[in-house]
Amino acid sequence: MKNIPLIIIAFLLLISCGKEAKQKPPATAKKPEPVIVEFGFKFNDFNVVQDTVVSGDTFGSLLEKENLGSLKVHEIVEKVKDSFDVRKMRAGKPYTLLRSKDPSKKLQVFVYQPDRTSYYVVDLRDSVITYKKTKPVSLKRRTIACALDGSLSETLERQKVHASLATDISKIYAWSIDFFKLQKGDRFAITFTERYINDTIYDGVENLEASFFEYKGKIIYAFPFKQDTTSLKVDYYDEDGKVLKNMFLKAPLKFVNITSRYAKNRFHPVQHVWKAHKGTDYAAPTGTPIMTTASGVVENTGYTAGNGNFVKVRHNRTYETQYLHMSKILVRRGQRVSQGDVIGRVGSTGLATGPHVCYRFWVNGAQVDALRLKLPNSEPMAVKYKPRFMKEMAPLKRELDSVAKLKLNM
């Protein structure tokens, strides 16, 4: 070692240090904690607890769990009562506790959310301050066009649309489309607006601007329109200004199956004899709401061995309908009902092999097949409003048709 020149020793030491430096893993920089701001507070500055009101919880009981003491809780409750009615707190609603980060974990802020867009803040940091705020809601508009694959709800969900739109659509087209007969591949397009809280949280469908459905090879358009701009009433019309709403709904139930049609002669599944079946059977789970298909007056309710629990409604001098085999009757004789009102629940009372409703229809006292009837429309659009309707409808129709052509090759 003594005979090795110093310059060589220095060189060897330098190489050795270089190897150690390469082998030593680099120090990783600590990632900064993401900043979370909610309800106007920086959550990073607090010990945060998010929970849900359960049955038996009160504002006072929730504060008592925070070791504030009975006198302090009473003082807070008294101070907030003018701006926050704590009696209206409901089970299932979320609340947030913001506590100090020190070992005491002292409650600083209490936040209660009665709905998705509004919230109450009780700030306890200096003095008791209470206020209500509403989160900003924005509307985003879009048009979708697709072919039916499964149920309407399932098809919409695949388009990332809230399933409630399926219910809205079924109501709009209840007089024009028998949703039991929609088939895979039937095409539709819808223009609608959706709500977003804070621009990011999806909050469902706000309204429908235009739509069309392909049904039995025909395209049926629907455009909302107010004849009187000062009125809240909105009706839906096709591209020619003809009202979609008929005097009668297509069926007394939603999204169910026809199991037996009107027939002059069929084999009765209970009595095991051939006889006429003067109604249409719609199968559905027990308890499913049964709607009156048109407005009118309840002519009769009761029970017979064959019909089970039933309701009969007279709509005018010409038309009557009857609903059989109910598990529960929800109206009384002489009661006035409006189209779509729930008058009973599906059951299997009387001569029935399973839960369903038998829907019967009379015209001038004679029973007829409701599915074969060409039923009357409701009040048409007044002529004076048609130019305004056509002007408002035209760009909406062009947009629907354009998107449908692009996505569905129509």
Side-chain angles (χ1 to χ4, degrees):
M1 198 68 177
K2 291 181 180 179
N3 299 323
I4 300 174
L6 288 176
I7 190 167
I8 295 175
I9 293 172
F11 179 72
L12 292 173
L13 287 173
L14 183 62
I15 293 174
S16 175
C17 290
K19 285 181 179 179
E20 287 180 6
K22 286 182 180 179
Q23 291 171 357
K24 187 177 180 181
T28 55
K30 188 177 179 181
K31 290 184 179 180
E33 184 181 2
V35 176
I36 301 173
V37 177
E38 186 68 45
F39 311 119
F41 298 94
K42 185 179 176 183
F43 276 17
N44 310 64
D45 297 337
F46 299 92
N47 171 268
V48 181
V49 176
Q50 294 180 303
D51 209 337
T52 302
V53 178
V54 299
S55 180
D57 280 347
T58 65
F59 178 64
S61 69
L62 293 174
L63 294 188
E64 285 174 0
K65 294 177 184 178
E66 297 304 307
N67 299 316
L68 294 176
S70 299
L71 289 177
K72 182 65 175 177
V73 169
H74 178 73
E75 177 190 336
I76 294 170
V77 171
E78 286 298 306
K79 286 186 176 180
V80 305
K81 65 182 181 181
D82 292 334
S83 50
F84 174 24
D85 189 348
V86 297
R87 296 169 300 176
K88 292 184 178 179
M89 288 179 60
R90 295 290 180 264
K93 299 299 182 179
Y95 67 90
T96 302
L97 307 175
L98 303 182
R99 298 164 166 167
S100 62
K101 275 193 164 183
D102 59 42
S104 70
K105 294 184 179 179
K106 184 180 178 181
L107 182 63
Q108 305 286 294
V109 180
F110 177 92
V111 182
Y112 172 68
Q113 295 173 261
D115 53 59
R116 287 170 63 88
T117 58
S118 60
Y119 57 94
Y120 289 92
V121 173
V122 180
D123 192 333
L124 307 172
R125 287 175 295 181
D126 295 322
S127 58
V128 179
I129 301 173
T130 308
Y131 54 88
K132 182 182 180 182
K133 282 201 169 184
T134 302
K135 296 178 182 180
V137 176
S138 58
L139 299 179
K140 298 181 181 180
R141 185 175 178 277
R142 65 171 167 143
T143 298
I144 62 169
C146 53
L148 198 68
D149 183 11
S151 70
L152 178 58
S153 297
E154 291 168 341
T155 306
L156 289 174
E157 284 178 357
R158 279 191 286 273
Q159 296 292 317
K160 302 189 184 307
V161 182
H162 197 277
S164 64
L165 185 58
T167 302
D168 296 337
I169 289 289
S170 69
K171 290 178 181 178
I172 292 167
Y173 284 102
W175 303 269
S176 310
I177 294 176
D178 186 343
F179 279 84
F180 316 127
K181 295 182 179 178
L182 286 177
Q183 298 178 351
K184 182 177 181 178
D186 284 345
R187 297 170 292 184
F188 64 91
I190 311 171
T191 299
F192 55 99
T193 54
E194 297 170 293
R195 295 183 302 275
Y196 285 84
I197 301 170
N198 288 335
D199 265 341
T200 57
I201 304 170
Y202 182 67
D203 193 42
V205 175
E206 174 73 10
N207 70 320
L208 182 144
E209 293 187 17
S211 65
F212 77 67
F213 258 84
E214 182 182 46
Y215 178 63
K216 293 184 177 180
K218 181 183 177 183
I219 300 297
I220 303 175
Y221 288 90
F223 302 97
F225 182 70
K226 290 182 182 180
Q227 296 196 56
D228 180 357
T229 54
T230 63
S231 172
L232 296 176
K233 183 182 178 183
V234 176
D235 284 315
Y236 288 82
Y237 301 84
D238 68 12
E239 73 275 26
D240 297 318
K242 293 179 181 177
V243 65
L244 293 184
K245 186 175 181 179
N246 283 349
M247 180 179 173
F248 288 89
L249 297 172
K250 286 281 187 180
L253 303 178
K254 297 178 181 177
F255 306 115
V256 290
N257 296 317
I258 296 175
T259 54
S260 184
R261 295 173 177 272
Y262 184 98
K264 292 182 179 179
N265 197 23
R266 71 152 190 178
F267 189 74
H268 196 282
V270 177
Q271 296 175 310
H272 301 294
V273 295
W274 289 92
K275 59 186 297 186
H277 181 243
K278 295 186 176 181
T280 305
D281 289 347
Y282 295 92
T286 298
T288 300
I290 299 171
M291 305 175 296
T292 177
T293 53
S295 300
V297 176
V298 177
E299 188 174 58
N300 199 7
T301 66
Y303 179 91
T304 65
N307 295 341
N309 295 320
F310 72 90
V311 172
K312 191 172 185 180
V313 180
R314 174 167 285 280
H315 305 289
N316 54 28
R317 292 182 180 180
T318 304
Y319 301 108
E320 299 168 90
T321 56
Q322 190 179 28
Y323 313 79
L324 313 181
H325 309 303
M326 293 179 171
S327 61
K328 191 172 185 180
I329 295 171
L330 299 177
V331 290
R332 64 185 183 279
R333 187 173 181 177
Q335 180 178 336
R336 178 163 291 280
V337 291
S338 298
Q339 185 180 65
D341 282 354
V342 176
I343 58 175
R345 302 280 180 181
V346 168
S348 51
T349 55
L351 294 177
T353 56
H356 74 285
V357 58
C358 179
Y359 175 55
R360 296 186 174 182
F361 204 105
W362 281 263
V363 177
N364 295 322
Q367 282 189 259
V368 297
D369 184 354
L371 296 179
R372 294 181 177 274
L373 285 176
K374 186 172 177 61
L375 296 168
N377 285 351
S378 59
E379 185 179 352
M381 182 188 296
V383 175
K384 64 179 180 179
Y385 297 122
K386 193 168 183 180
R388 176 165 60 86
F389 167 78
M390 298 301 286
K391 183 179 179 180
E392 293 176 8
M393 176 275 300
L396 294 170
K397 182 176 182 296
R398 281 196 300 271
E399 182 177 12
L400 278 180
D401 292 344
S402 175
V403 174
K405 185 177 180 181
L406 180 65
K407 295 187 176 181
L408 301 174
N409 297 316
M410 295 185 69

